């Protein structure tokens, strides 16, 4: 394995991952794409996670500036009332979809911000990962994968009540 550069920060704990999620959201100026099994370990449901998303929405008003794909929306629907309220309020800026069956084998979780910054966990069940800053090539590779999954994904939670 090659040693990390000064723009790469490796981590091995979920607490570090959640801290980096907040850091990378704080860097966002245009777009955030997020691919995860269920969002459990991201910390987005925390008060700090919601505040980071709301701060981004105040900095950037373009529709669909945050796109999320999860394998399973059950955690969001059952355990994320703050995120569901955010979806109801900012549904024009954030979209969540559920991946199609053919993409269920993708184990990597990642966030790409502004086509330049990447936060990834190498496997959805493991905390080990890397924060990579200012690397458009790596960001583009993951963004291409995300776009493929996004196109085949189904509508996910919207935060709107049923009925």
């Amino acid at each position: 394995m090659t040693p990390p550069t000064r723009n790469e920060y490796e981590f091995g704990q979920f607490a570090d991952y959640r801290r980096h999620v907040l850091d990378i959201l704080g860097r966002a100026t245009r777009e955030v794409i997020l691919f995860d099994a269920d969002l459990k370990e991201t910390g987005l449901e925390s008060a700090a996670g919601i505040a980071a998303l709301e701060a981004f929405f105040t900095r950037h008003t373009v529709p669909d500036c945050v796109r999320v794909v999860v394998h399973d929306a059950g955690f969001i629907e059952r355990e994320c009332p703050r995120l569901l309220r955010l979806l109801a309020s900012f549904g024009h800026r954030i979209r969540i979809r559920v991946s199609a069956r053919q993409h269920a084998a993708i184990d990597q979780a990642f966030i790409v911000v502004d086509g330049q910054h990447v936060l990834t966990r190498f496997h959805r069940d493991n905390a080990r990962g890397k924060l990579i800053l200012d690397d458009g090539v790596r960001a583009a590779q993951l963004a291409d994968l995300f776009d493929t999954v996004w196109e085949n994904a189904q509508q996910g939670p919207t935060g709107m009540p049923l009925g």
Side-chain angles (χ1 to χ4, degrees):
M1 184 163 107
T2 60
T5 67
R6 60 185 166 88
N7 289 339
E8 295 184 11
Y9 306 91
E10 294 180 1
F11 57 89
Q13 303 292 319
F14 283 117
D16 294 330
Y17 175 65
R18 288 186 286 275
R19 184 173 44 85
H20 288 309
V21 167
L22 296 175
D23 176 47
I24 201 166
L25 289 176
R27 295 172 183 275
T29 61
R30 294 186 326 269
E31 176 188 47
V32 175
I33 59 175
L34 191 156
F35 183 80
D36 195 89
D38 54 17
L39 299 185
K40 274 183 196 172
E41 300 299 340
T42 62
L44 289 178
E45 175 57 18
S46 70
I50 295 300
L53 287 169
E54 287 175 334
F56 174 63
F57 293 146
T58 61
R59 293 191 307 267
H60 192 64
T61 59
V62 172
D64 295 340
C65 55
V66 176
R67 295 183 298 149
V68 177
V69 174
V70 293
H71 288 311
D72 179 7
F75 174 76
I76 298 168
E77 293 165 341
R78 288 185 314 274
E79 306 291 331
C80 297
R82 291 178 181 143
L83 186 56
L84 290 173
R85 279 193 301 275
L86 185 82
L87 281 167
S89 299
F90 292 97
H92 57 296
R93 295 202 196 131
I94 181 171
R95 301 263 189 247
I96 297 179
R97 291 188 175 179
V98 179
S99 65
R101 187 172 304 208
Q102 71 258 33
H103 296 115
I106 300 173
D107 288 328
Q108 185 177 12
F110 59 85
I111 302 172
V112 177
V113 168
D114 296 341
Q116 289 296 313
H117 312 300
V118 173
L119 176 61
T120 185
R121 284 188 1 251
F122 304 125
H123 191 277
R124 63 179 154 206
D125 297 331
N126 191 316
R128 197 171 70 79
K130 189 182 287 190
L131 172 66
I132 305 164
L133 303 175
D134 301 315
D135 190 335
V137 173
R138 289 188 197 180
Q141 291 167 344
L142 289 173
D144 286 345
L145 173 61
F146 181 89
D147 287 341
T148 299
V149 175
W150 179 263
E151 289 301 319
N152 294 298
Q154 302 297 315
Q155 176 67 41
T158 63
M160 302 305 286
L162 297 175

